[in-house]
Amino acid sequence: MNSVCHTELVPEFCTCGAQLPPDARFCHKCGKPQYDYPGVEEPEAAPTPVEVASLPPTPYVQLPAEISFHNRLAVRVGFIAALSAVFIFMVPLPFPFLRLLIAFIAGGFFAVFLYTRRSGQMLSIRSGARMGWITGIFSFTMVSVVFAFAMIEISNQGGLAKYIQSQLPANDARLDTVAQAFNDPATLGVLVLLSLAMLFVVLTALPIIGGALGAKVLEKE
């Protein structure tokens, strides 16, 4: 014969006011246990609207802005850095190739430095490279505009073929090759497209290198 032993009498009413049936172990309304069971804890009541309103506000954490053309600060900084790089490159100093390297690598580095100072955000190497890429796009656009004005000026002075021939020695064997190339519109178009493609690669790659380098240096600081 089985017998049920209770440690204490079952109350008729729960603390929530609900009337309990005989031998009820839990309240059918609020779920509160009517016996002391080891390991069973009374569930915590949900906070009231007044208690929720009195809780301190969750602190606002601003996520780092992505470096892209949708970031207005990155666009402004990239434009300024590109303008500075093109200005340095246009200064008539010796060693044009070395001047090209220094100007546009420094442009990417300067873009990362200026963005970090303006935003207070430390850039990763990847973000620094993207900042350099934005600078490179602006640099290519500016140099292309200068290149177009130079071509217009050369055309007004007798054409590109005559200008290139004037830069070569009088007895240079390449004079005839240059004349033939520029007399063929298809060849001239291919040369212009190749020049622009090479210019795009160089003027975007150098600022990317400078941007990644700038992010690495500033990260150590």
Side-chain angles (χ1 to χ4, degrees):
M1 179 177 179
N2 296 330
S3 61
V4 178
C5 179
H6 298 296
T7 57
E8 58 183 34
L9 297 176
V10 178
E12 295 184 0
F13 293 90
C14 180
T15 55
C16 68
Q19 185 175 3
L20 300 173
D23 296 331
R25 297 187 177 185
F26 296 91
C27 175
H28 61 278
K29 183 177 181 180
C30 67
K32 179 180 178 182
Q34 302 303 313
Y35 299 104
D36 293 333
Y37 295 100
V40 177
E41 296 181 358
E42 182 178 354
E44 296 182 0
T48 63
V50 176
E51 293 174 340
V52 172
S54 63
L55 293 175
T58 304
Y60 174 74
V61 179
Q62 183 177 6
L63 297 176
E66 182 183 1
I67 304 299
S68 66
F69 279 100
H70 298 289
N71 187 331
R72 294 183 179 181
L73 178 60
V75 171
R76 291 197 299 269
V77 168
F79 180 82
I80 294 172
L83 189 64
S84 303
V86 173
F87 177 77
I88 295 173
F89 176 67
M90 298 300 293
V91 174
L93 297 175
F95 308 108
F97 182 73
L98 183 60
R99 189 171 73 238
L100 175 73
L101 291 177
I102 294 175
F104 291 101
I105 290 178
F109 191 101
F110 177 64
V112 173
F113 173 82
L114 187 59
Y115 184 87
T116 301
R117 291 297 180 269
R118 292 285 182 87
S119 66
Q121 172 187 345
M122 297 301 297
L123 299 181
S124 63
I125 295 178
R126 180 177 178 273
S127 297
R130 291 179 63 88
M131 191 70 245
W133 179 75
I134 294 175
T135 305
I137 295 296
F138 281 120
S139 299
F140 171 74
T141 304
M142 294 176 187
V143 172
S144 298
V145 172
V146 174
F147 179 76
F149 278 108
M151 290 297 100
I152 294 173
E153 184 65 24
I154 290 173
S155 298
N156 293 334
Q157 295 178 0
L160 183 60
K162 184 177 179 181
Y163 173 78
I164 294 178
Q165 289 174 353
S166 66
Q167 303 299 315
L168 297 175
N171 298 326
D172 198 310
R174 292 173 293 178
L175 291 174
D176 294 336
T177 305
V178 171
Q180 294 176 0
F182 283 94
N183 287 331
D184 184 5
T187 304
L188 181 59
V190 171
L191 289 175
V192 172
L193 290 177
L194 288 176
S195 300
L196 290 176
M198 185 178 299
L199 190 66
F200 178 81
V201 171
V202 171
L203 293 185
T204 53
L206 293 179
I208 287 175
I209 295 172
L213 181 62
K216 185 67 175 178
V217 172
L218 295 177
E219 183 181 15
K220 292 180 180 180
E221 293 182 358

